[in-house]
Amino acid sequence: MSSNDPKPQTDAGHFFSADIRVGRILEVDEFPEARKPAYKIKADFGPAGVLQTSAQVTGYRIDELKDRLVIGVVNLGAKRIAGFTSEFLILGSYDGDGRVHLLSPESVATPGDVIG
């Protein structure tokens, strides 16, 4: 099964248990300790809090990411990556060349808005 193949059917409850929200990127730092090129990103998710993650989105410049609205899954639990605690999953799509394109809400969205 390739990464482009459809995934098997699942129960809707699995999807709806994910807390997916709008966040605003506050800080972006290089992450040289990561195995693959990545940034450390801190984002404000309103009532869900300010959370951090490691993301392989180095196709974007740091200044392009700062203050950008993004979509993130905020209830997957913390995961350690090269000594760094990642607390949310930033969502994006992959093009045919494997480049990441971040999902973004409309500009009227605010940090903490729930995606449903």
Side-chain angles (χ1 to χ4, degrees), residues 32-63:
E33 301 86 2
R35 263 194 334 249
K36 295 182 180 178
Y39 292 134
K40 294 177 183 178
I41 296 174
K42 190 175 285 188
D44 176 9
F45 285 95
V50 174
L51 304 172
Q52 62 185 14
T53 193
S54 167
Q56 296 172 3
V57 294
T58 56
Y60 292 92
R61 293 185 327 267
I62 288 175
D63 64 315

Side-chain angles (χ1 to χ4, degrees), residues 21-40:
R21 293 180 182 259
V22 173
R24 180 177 306 281
I25 295 178
L26 303 173
E27 296 176 22
V28 181
D29 294 305
E30 300 282 344
F31 190 13
E33 301 86 2
R35 263 194 334 249
K36 295 182 180 178
Y39 292 134
K40 294 177 183 178

